[in-house]
């Protein structure tokens, strides 16, 4: 009995060792072209470049189907209120609303081929990969829950973000330069929110995740733009009064210059 027990323990340890070796078989090394993006008054757009390499060790085995990479870029979180309008008596009014709690202000899902070609739907859902699987908790009345992927408020919210260039899912954004070397371009639109962004890189082969790496970057404002932003955020009432006074003063000054005697 003791001999059988010892043999079972040794077998279990051997299996765990093999599993750990396979988990360490590939390792991701990633780097961004810039870890700080400054937004100025003439900022139009920016393209960050992610470079990645796949390191192999003695436990690595040939991957007949090659490697796949999914990159998820998540921006700062925010609370957003969405409205559904209905026409009543010839007037469009807000008929219903939803509050999206802790939603990403920016979200990009980049890959070398379509997500459903990389792995199955269940794994995508479990790992929250893709715009259809990203959690977007809604608050309706006092309840907060993630709605189904076909929920009309969720669909409309994602479509609006897509039109603004803040949400995207691109299946050809990751390019393999060599078998173990890849790159991806991360587009940042003109109205990209400031804050800290997280770049999550996942390596797949044969529909299974092999490795994962992450790297943050920051989008910030500098100079006069930052002063105005801080004033509007920290001293909203004073900022509003100052803006109104400047508008009145500008109107009065224009009337003095262009008045007709």
């Amino acid at each position: 009995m003791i001999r059988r027990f010892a043999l079972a323990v040794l077998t279990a340890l051997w299996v765990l060792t093999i599993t750990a070796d396979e988990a360490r078989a590939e390792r991701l090394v990633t780097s961004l072209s810039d870890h700080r993006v400054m937004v100025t008054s003439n900022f139009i757009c920016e393209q960050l470049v992610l470079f990645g390499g796949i390191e192999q060790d003695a436990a690595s085995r040939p991957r007949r189907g090659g490697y796949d990479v999914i990159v998820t870029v998540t921006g700062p979180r925010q609370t957003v209120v969405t409205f559904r309008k209905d026409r009543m008596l010839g007037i469009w009014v807000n008929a219903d609303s939803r509050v999206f709690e802790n939603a990403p202000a920016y979200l990009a899902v980049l890959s070398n081929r379509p997500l459903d070609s990389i792995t199955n739907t269940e794994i995508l859902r479990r790992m929250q990969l893709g715009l259809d699987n990203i959690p977007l908790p809604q608050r309706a009345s006092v309840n907060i829950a993630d709605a189904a992927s076909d929920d009309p408020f969720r669909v409309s919210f994602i479509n609006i973000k897509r039109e603004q260039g803040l949400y995207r899912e691109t299946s050809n954004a990751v390019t393999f330069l060599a078998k173990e070397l890849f790159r991806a371009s991360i587009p940042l639109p003109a109205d990209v929110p400031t804050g800290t962004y997280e770049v999550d890189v996942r390596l797949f082969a044969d529909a299974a995740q092999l490795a994962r790496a992450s790297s943050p970057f920051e989008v910030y404002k500098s100079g006069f733009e930052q002063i105005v932003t801080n004033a509007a955020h920290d001293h909203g009432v004073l900022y509003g009064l100052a803006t109104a006074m400047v508008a009145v003063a500008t109107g009065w000054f224009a009337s003095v210059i262009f008045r007709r005697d």
Side-chain angles (χ1 to χ4, degrees):
M1 179 67 67
I2 296 177
R3 182 177 301 176
R4 290 182 179 179
F5 177 77
L7 181 61
V9 171
L10 289 175
T11 302
L13 291 175
W14 179 74
V15 171
L16 289 175
T17 302
I18 292 179
T19 304
D21 285 341
E22 289 183 352
R24 294 195 302 267
E26 283 91 356
R27 189 170 73 91
L28 272 175
V29 179
T30 60
S31 178
L32 289 168
S33 59
D34 196 351
H35 287 273
R36 300 196 75 201
V37 178
M38 184 174 66
V39 177
T40 59
S41 58
N42 59 352
F43 181 84
I44 300 177
C45 63
E46 181 77 18
Q47 288 276 350
L48 283 185
V49 180
L50 170 73
F51 294 97
I54 304 169
E55 288 189 350
Q56 299 178 331
D57 59 18
S60 301
R61 57 186 178 84
R63 306 289 178 178
R64 291 178 298 176
Y67 293 109
D68 292 300
V69 173
I70 301 177
V71 180
T72 303
V73 185
T74 308
R77 302 283 176 166
Q78 59 182 196
T79 298
V80 182
V81 182
T82 60
F83 296 93
R84 178 174 62 83
K85 292 182 178 293
D86 280 340
R87 195 176 182 87
M88 297 180 60
L89 302 176
I91 302 175
W92 289 98
V93 297
N94 295 329
D96 198 1
S97 66
R98 290 289 188 278
V99 179
F100 287 90
E101 297 279 354
N102 209 30
Y106 176 93
L107 180 63
V109 183
L110 315 172
S111 58
N112 60 304
R113 57 181 179 145
L115 299 184
D116 55 2
S117 299
I118 295 176
T119 187
N120 59 63
T121 304
E122 179 59 32
I123 292 178
L124 292 174
R125 185 183 300 111
R126 177 162 48 84
M127 295 184 175
Q128 301 176 354
L129 296 173
L131 295 185
D132 290 338
N133 300 310
I134 191 72
L136 291 175
Q138 299 180 25
R139 184 173 74 229
S141 183
V142 295
N143 298 318
I144 299 178
D146 187 19
S149 59
D150 59 350
D151 175 75
F153 278 93
R154 178 191 172 97
V155 172
S156 298
F157 175 76
I158 291 178
N159 288 338
I160 292 173
K161 288 289 190 178
R162 280 181 180 269
E163 293 173 359
Q164 296 172 344
L166 296 175
Y167 277 26
R168 64 181 68 236
E169 183 175 314
T170 311
S171 59
N172 60 351
V174 177
T175 303
F176 275 87
L177 307 176
K179 187 178 179 181
E180 290 89 20
L181 183 64
F182 61 89
R183 59 162 286 171
S185 296
I186 303 173
L188 301 177
D191 55 348
V192 61
T194 58
T196 301
Y197 289 64
E198 188 68 28
V199 181
D200 179 46
V201 187
R202 297 173 185 258
L203 178 68
F204 284 82
D206 302 325
Q209 179 177 303
L210 304 179
R212 184 178 182 182
S214 62
S215 180
F217 69 90
E218 180 186 8
V219 177
Y220 70 101
K221 292 182 178 180
S222 181
F224 179 74
E225 291 84 0
Q226 184 62 39
I227 295 175
V228 173
T229 301
N230 291 340
H233 183 270
D234 299 332
H235 309 285
V237 176
L238 295 178
Y239 176 80
L241 292 175
T243 302
M245 292 176 62
V246 170
V248 171
T250 303
W252 174 82
F253 186 68
S255 67
V256 171
I257 294 178
F258 298 104
R259 69 181 178 182
R260 298 178 180 178
D261 295 331

